[in-house]
Amino acid sequence: MNTANIDRRIAIKAVGTMAAMGAGLVTAAAQATPKKKKVLAINGSSRKGGNTGDMLGLVLTELKKEGHETELVELAGQTIHACKACFACAGKGNCVWANDIFQELLTKMKEADAVILGSSTYSADVSSTLKAVIERASVVSDTNPGLFRHKIGAGVAVARRAGAMNVIDTMNHFFLNKEMFVVGSTYWNIAYGRLPGEALKDEEAVANMKNLGQNIAWLLKRV
């Protein structure tokens, strides 16, 4: 019996076993260290520093605690034109019109792992500016299938009194129709207030927004 060959085979097997163990440790370490994700919040309110911004801030704060990269885009003061239904975006991955901020905004949406839409209630729906974003993003996604597939989406609405459910529906319809995972909280993501700062006095809404952020963070670890 050639003991040298046996010893060689044992040594090779040992090296292979150690390599496999090392790879397993690397994989385990990678799994133990959550990857930082990008979260984009879009404030469709026509007012900066208002109640909608406050509610989105509560959600983003919870995500920052988990180490995620967050960005808030304010649409106040911006004019986003309506979709021209030209379908020139087909195969291009973005709108071809560059006369407003939409191209840049859509790029941010594509790069984000989670997209949070927020709006005050205007005529029982989202603001016209946010509606333009939703409509144009929908058409670009339709002509470039899978653009938002498996991203996370969440909607936040603020109302003086009524109409907020329609706002939530509009945002959720966008998420669901684009194959996104919709995150909810302990109740509808709605806050009530008219003057700046009033929504922060809505204790149930504040707790709900914080929980929404925590739920998004939970799902980000699993997507």
Side-chain angles (χ1 to χ4, degrees):
M1 180 180 296
N2 190 334
T3 56
N5 289 338
I6 295 175
D7 291 342
R8 189 181 301 111
R9 287 198 297 270
I10 293 173
I12 291 172
K13 184 176 180 180
V15 170
T17 301
M18 291 175 66
M21 291 175 62
L25 289 173
V26 171
T27 301
Q31 291 176 345
T33 306
K35 179 183 176 184
K36 181 191 294 185
K37 301 293 181 67
K38 289 185 178 181
V39 181
L40 174 68
I42 301 174
N43 183 2
S45 173
S46 297
R47 296 177 178 173
K48 288 184 180 180
N51 291 308
T52 306
D54 287 342
M55 295 301 102
L56 290 172
L58 292 171
V59 179
L60 294 179
T61 295
E62 297 302 315
L63 290 155
K64 289 177 184 176
K65 290 178 182 178
E66 296 295 323
H68 298 300
E69 179 182 337
T70 66
E71 181 179 2
L72 173 64
V73 174
E74 303 266 8
L75 298 186
Q78 299 287 344
T79 298
I80 297 182
H81 301 289
C83 180
K84 298 180 184 297
C86 64
F87 301 107
C89 53
K92 295 182 174 63
N94 207 327
C95 182
V96 300
W97 297 95
N99 55 348
D100 57 24
I101 67 165
F102 179 77
Q103 283 187 349
E104 178 185 355
L105 183 58
L106 188 71
T107 297
K108 292 178 183 291
M109 293 173 71
K110 292 193 298 180
E111 292 175 348
D113 298 289
V115 177
I116 306 168
L117 300 180
S119 181
S120 302
T121 304
Y122 297 86
S123 297
D125 211 332
V126 297
S127 68
S128 59
T129 312
L130 184 59
K131 190 65 162 64
V133 171
I134 289 173
E135 290 178 352
R136 287 174 69 176
S138 294
V139 172
V140 176
S141 178
D142 290 343
T143 59
N144 299 269
L147 208 62
F148 299 110
R149 181 182 294 141
H150 299 165
K151 292 184 183 295
I152 294 171
V156 170
V158 176
R160 183 190 68 83
R161 181 167 294 276
M165 278 305 303
N166 292 343
V167 176
I168 292 292
D169 284 345
T170 293
M171 294 186 284
N172 283 351
H173 289 159
F174 169 72
F175 299 138
L176 291 169
N177 200 35
K178 304 308 163 195
E179 303 179 87
M180 297 173 70
F181 301 122
V182 180
V183 179
S185 188
T186 48
Y187 198 62
W188 302 111
N189 307 323
I190 295 171
Y192 291 93
R194 183 173 67 88
L195 297 175
E198 283 188 351
L200 289 172
K201 300 175 184 179
D202 184 345
E203 295 182 3
E204 184 178 0
V206 169
N208 196 44
M209 298 303 165
K210 290 180 179 179
N211 188 60
L212 176 62
Q214 293 164 12
N215 288 345
I216 295 172
W218 182 90
L219 187 56
L220 279 170
K221 295 177 181 178
R222 291 157 176 81
V223 174

